Amino acid sequence: MPSKPSNMKSYEEEVKTFSWDISKKELEYKDGDIINIGWYCSDRICEKGKAEKLALIWESSKGEEKRYTFNDLRLITNTMASYLKNLGVNQGDRVCLFMDKIPELYMGFLGVLKLGAIAQPLFSAFGSESLLTRLEDATTTAIMTQKKHLPKVRNILEKMPYLKYIIVVDDDGSKALREREFALNIETEPKIEKFDCFPSTAETKSVLHYTSGTTGKPKGAQHVHYSLISQYITAKYVLDLQEDDVYWCTADPGWVTGTSYGIIGVWANGVTQCVTDIGFTADNWYKFAEKNKVTVWYSAPTAIRSLMKEGTAAVKKHDLSSLRHLASVGEPLNAEAVIWSQEAFGMMFHDTFWQTETGSIMVSNYPGMKIKPGSMGKPFPGITATVLDLKTSEPITKKGIVGMIAFQPNWPSIIRTYWNNEEIYKSKFKNGWYLSGDRASIDEEGYYWFVGRDDDVINTAGHLVGPFEIESALLEHPAVAESAVVGKPDPVNMEVVKAFIALKPGYDQNKMLELEIMNFVRKKLSALAMPQEIEFVDSLPKTRSGKIMRRVLRAKEWGEEIGDISTLENDM
Ligand code: 6R9
């Protein structure tokens, strides 16, 4: 697609003039007004004359396709909100959405918000125990789910007296529902033309996202309706969503990317999106993008690296000329992947950095801005960011020094607390800064370079080395498919670098190769960064959202408790 002017004209100009009032003005919101995300994403778009515009193009893994306009979205979310209300779900109750990426998940999420209840999305691949931990913490009132996931809920039902309603969205009547189970079919349920949305205001609770911490128990990050102000404008300026776009966010709404930018940001902008729960293969994904003429694509480094493995030839088999903007989030995006995407798609992936707790994009590469491959870019206009000295927690003024990424806690979508855990929430702030728990350095031109999670940085002989840097270097070795680098205890140096490596097909594990890879890193980076030990593995432990769980590997090395691994995709 020929490039077109981006929404953000110039980053430098925007930094000088930006204020969140721009977002409020576009949303016609004034402080103190009612603000309901459910209404903003459906009713308002219809009122703006886009009722018949496509909101959602959905394709199942079996090839079934469904399409919904913004008016459908309005009616179905009304219907779901009204259904929940009639059942007895109240404002402020937690309603868990436990579904695959089906239309009911997206609509249910907005329906819950219209009702003024709190949406608690959970990844549908969670087993009973993971589900229980999170429902117990939130004392969830209702869960919306599919038949296929019912057994996982039934398993733990006795332990959940607070869970009053189990709503099955695909019940076909073939098997009797049990106690506390109710059927809701959005195709056949009479559509509710008018539903009075709960008159939520800025600080009314909206979404409760559970996120795994390093200390073990997952924490419920509490967001409010006012987050819309951040999500709307970042979707517009960073993802560059425009009127005729077809947007594809590959994230599952069980994770924050799938809600902030897979539901709220996109639909508040009145943009068409496509969703599929088709499994990952490069060919499947390219076919989906080709068929739906995707223009803006928001994905994640693990996916991009998997696509890389298949090479550019796989890309060239498809007509992907509709693509005009690519962005990535979730973990470090290696310079190599950025360079590859230029080769493969004729444009670079734009790295974006943020967290469940921030609710919206904080540091990013913007359309039209010079990209330095491997850098996360610069703070979003309106965000005051810095890196803090690791000991004093004071901002580091010298360039190139590694510190903790921190933000002035004054943007609209910052979390308001952790559910039941005000103490850990408070520990996230120091000297007036929100502490991200991630380390980075800032270069002469103000670009942020990610180093690692605060707990992942390796201290070897008093020198800090970042696992990401080493993993990136390892990836450049022809034999390496994936790697994870952790610190391993060492009596002299405190820690040394250990690399877990999955080899590409066709390479055999042997001592020669091991030494060759070690030397490769030593030459590229330094002797400090060189892995002292390499362990070849078939695959690396990853969270279900695709992040390599270094801490699982690290804990093994240190003989420590692994903590909560309920989001682990594969066991080692
Ligand atoms: C949105 C999301 C947050 C953590 C974050 C950091 C890592 C996210 C990144 C990145 C390097 C990026 N992370 N984006 N690391 N470069 N562009 O992923 O939220 O699941 O809460 O994870 O992910 O470590 O602190 P969440």
Side-chain angles (χ1 to χ4, degrees):
M1 179 176 269
S3 62
K4 50 176 173 178
S6 47
N7 287 331
M8 189 194 279
K9 300 294 172 250
S10 139
Y11 175 75
E12 281 71 27
E13 279 309 305
E14 206 62 54
V15 167
K16 283 187 218 145
T17 55
F18 184 85
S19 118
W20 297 108
D21 289 342
I22 295 174
S23 180
K24 295 185 200 175
K25 198 166 165 220
E26 290 189 15
L27 292 166
E28 297 157 295
Y29 165 82
K30 287 192 292 311
D31 289 335
D33 282 357
I34 289 173
I35 179 169
N36 187 301
I37 291 175
W39 182 85
Y40 265 99
C41 290
S42 56
D43 300 57
R44 179 170 183 269
I45 305 301
C46 295
E47 283 181 12
K48 293 277 154 200
K50 295 202 241 178
E52 295 316 314
K53 182 177 174 173
L54 270 184
L56 177 65
I57 304 167
W58 176 80
E59 196 178 303
S60 79
S61 49
K62 296 184 194 93
E64 184 192 358
E65 201 189 274
K66 289 182 183 169
R67 287 170 178 249
Y68 301 89
T69 62
F70 277 98
N71 195 45
D72 295 330
L73 202 62
R74 180 181 72 81
L75 291 173
I76 297 173
T77 52
N78 277 353
T79 305
M80 291 174 112
S82 151
Y83 179 94
L84 291 171
K85 189 174 185 175
N86 292 338
L87 266 186
V89 177
N90 292 313
Q91 181 252 331
D93 285 348
R94 276 71 62 208
V95 180
C96 173
L97 299 129
F98 190 57
M99 290 174 258
D100 299 351
K101 284 157 85 180
I102 56 172
E104 287 85 345
L105 170 58
Y106 295 77
M107 317 248 181
F109 177 86
L110 294 180
V112 171
L113 297 182
K114 279 190 165 180
L115 176 62
I118 301 174
Q120 184 190 5
L122 289 178
F123 190 45
S124 64
F126 276 153
S128 293
E129 272 312 303
S130 309
L131 191 59
L132 179 62
T133 319
R134 291 159 178 82
L135 297 185
E136 205 161 53
D137 188 60
T139 53
T140 306
T141 304
I143 184 169
M144 304 181 87
T145 191
Q146 293 161 269
K147 267 188 306 190
K148 65 194 267 202
H149 300 304
L150 259 186
K152 295 192 270 190
V153 182
R154 287 174 176 170
N155 265 344
I156 48 174
L157 193 61
E158 276 182 15
K159 298 185 183 146
M160 303 190 292
Y162 42 83
L163 189 75
K164 294 196 206 142
Y165 314 105
I166 300 155
I167 298 128
V168 188
V169 298
D170 58 352
D171 179 56
D172 55 9
S174 61
K175 277 197 193 132
L177 291 178
R178 300 188 188 167
E179 182 205 351
R180 295 191 246 172
E181 295 175 354
F182 304 85
L184 163 64
N185 184 331
I186 59 166
E187 307 291 339
T188 55
E189 188 77 11
K191 298 286 172 295
I192 304 292
E193 181 56 42
K194 196 171 167 344
F195 178 82
D196 288 327
C197 286
F198 181 76
S200 40
T201 49
E203 295 304 306
T204 307
K205 294 184 171 91
S206 57
V207 184
L208 184 63
H209 261 300
Y210 275 79
T211 166
S212 294
T214 41
T215 42
K217 219 171 163 251
K219 307 182 290 290
Q222 182 65 66
H223 287 283
V224 295
H225 281 265
Y226 192 59
S227 70
L228 174 70
I229 307 300
S230 291
Q231 289 149 347
Y232 165 80
I233 200 75
T234 47
K236 179 167 177 177
Y237 280 3
V238 184
L239 302 178
D240 199 35
L241 295 181
Q242 302 188 21
E243 183 56 36
D244 51 359
D245 274 318
V246 179
Y247 167 68
W248 182 23
C249 171
T250 56
D252 188 296
W255 316 109
V256 73
T257 305
T259 57
S260 288
Y261 298 103
I263 304 180
I264 306 172
V266 50
W267 282 339
N269 274 279
V271 166
T272 305
Q273 70 164 325
C274 52
V275 167
T276 178
D277 60 359
I278 203 164
F280 177 84
T281 70
D283 206 48
N284 277 349
W285 275 31
Y286 294 146
K287 264 192 204 141
F288 184 73
E290 180 177 19
K291 182 176 162 198
N292 293 296
K293 299 201 169 38
V294 170
T295 57
V296 179
W297 186 12
Y298 198 21
S299 197
T302 300
I304 300 163
R305 287 193 293 264
S306 308
L307 295 174
M308 259 172 92
K309 271 197 220 164
E310 304 294 321
T312 42
V315 182
K316 307 289 177 209
K317 279 194 221 145
H318 301 268
D319 175 7
L320 298 175
S321 56
S322 56
L323 287 176
R324 68 170 190 88
H325 186 56
L326 311 179
S328 164
V329 65
E331 24 156 0
L333 183 63
N334 318 71
E336 226 208 348
V338 177
I339 292 161
W340 176 78
S341 89
Q342 178 69 45
E343 196 184 309
F345 305 107
M347 66 197 85
M348 290 188 187
F349 266 95
H350 290 62
D351 192 13
T352 69
F353 167 88
W354 57 291
Q355 307 176 305
T356 302
E357 288 82 352
T358 68
S360 64
I361 296 167
M362 303 303 281
V363 175
S364 178
N365 293 280
Y366 306 93
M369 183 174 110
K370 178 180 81 175
I371 293 185
K372 296 188 182 180
S375 158
M376 307 195 297
K378 299 185 182 187
F380 184 76
I383 299 292
T384 308
T386 190
V387 292
L388 298 178
D389 183 279
L390 298 170
K391 286 205 185 82
T392 63
S393 294
E394 291 299 330
I396 299 173
T397 44
K398 225 170 132 205
K399 299 298 167 196
I401 306 287
V402 174
M404 159 97 67
I405 307 172
F407 305 106
Q408 240 171 49
N410 56 3
W411 71 97
S413 65
I414 185 174
I415 54 161
R416 299 308 198 258
T417 189
Y418 290 117
W419 193 265
N420 279 342
N421 217 330
E422 187 72 11
E423 214 169 297
I424 295 196
Y425 168 71
K426 283 198 181 126
S427 73
K428 287 268 175 180
F429 299 87
K430 200 160 181 195
N431 296 348
W433 295 94
Y434 162 78
L435 311 176
S436 70
D438 287 304
R439 293 181 184 191
S441 65
I442 308 173
D443 72 14
E444 294 294 339
E445 290 178 286
Y447 283 74
Y448 282 60
W449 296 81
F450 188 81
V451 174
R453 298 273 307 188
D454 197 35
D455 40 12
D456 274 342
V457 174
I458 302 160
N459 188 333
T460 177
H463 301 274
L464 299 181
V465 291
F468 172 55
E469 200 185 3
I470 305 171
E471 287 163 6
S472 292
L474 284 168
L475 266 190
E476 288 172 36
H477 189 281
V480 177
E482 271 191 321
S483 73
V485 166
V486 299
K488 175 184 148 74
D490 183 85
V492 180
N493 298 304
M494 195 166 93
E495 283 182 279
V496 290
V497 174
K498 172 165 181 178
F500 292 82
I501 290 176
L503 292 174
K504 284 188 184 152
Y507 286 93
D508 288 328
Q509 322 176 351
N510 59 54
K511 201 75 202 161
M512 275 286 284
L513 182 60
E514 198 179 310
L515 292 175
E516 188 193 309
I517 295 174
M518 287 175 174
N519 258 317
F520 182 79
V521 178
R522 184 176 60 81
K523 281 210 194 105
K524 261 198 149 19
L525 300 177
S526 68
L528 281 172
M530 181 183 85
Q532 304 285 319
E533 193 182 308
I534 287 179
E535 187 174 322
F536 292 109
V537 291
D538 290 334
S539 66
L540 295 165
K542 296 203 187 83
T543 62
R544 292 187 199 274
S545 59
K547 291 189 180 96
I548 292 171
M549 281 191 120
R550 287 201 202 92
R551 71 185 170 88
V552 172
L553 298 167
R554 189 179 187 281
K556 255 173 65 176
E557 294 304 317
W558 292 76
E560 288 168 359
E561 285 288 318
I562 292 177
D564 175 44
I565 50 163
S566 51
T567 58
L568 201 63
E569 179 200 293
N570 49 352
D571 294 316
M572 283 288 284

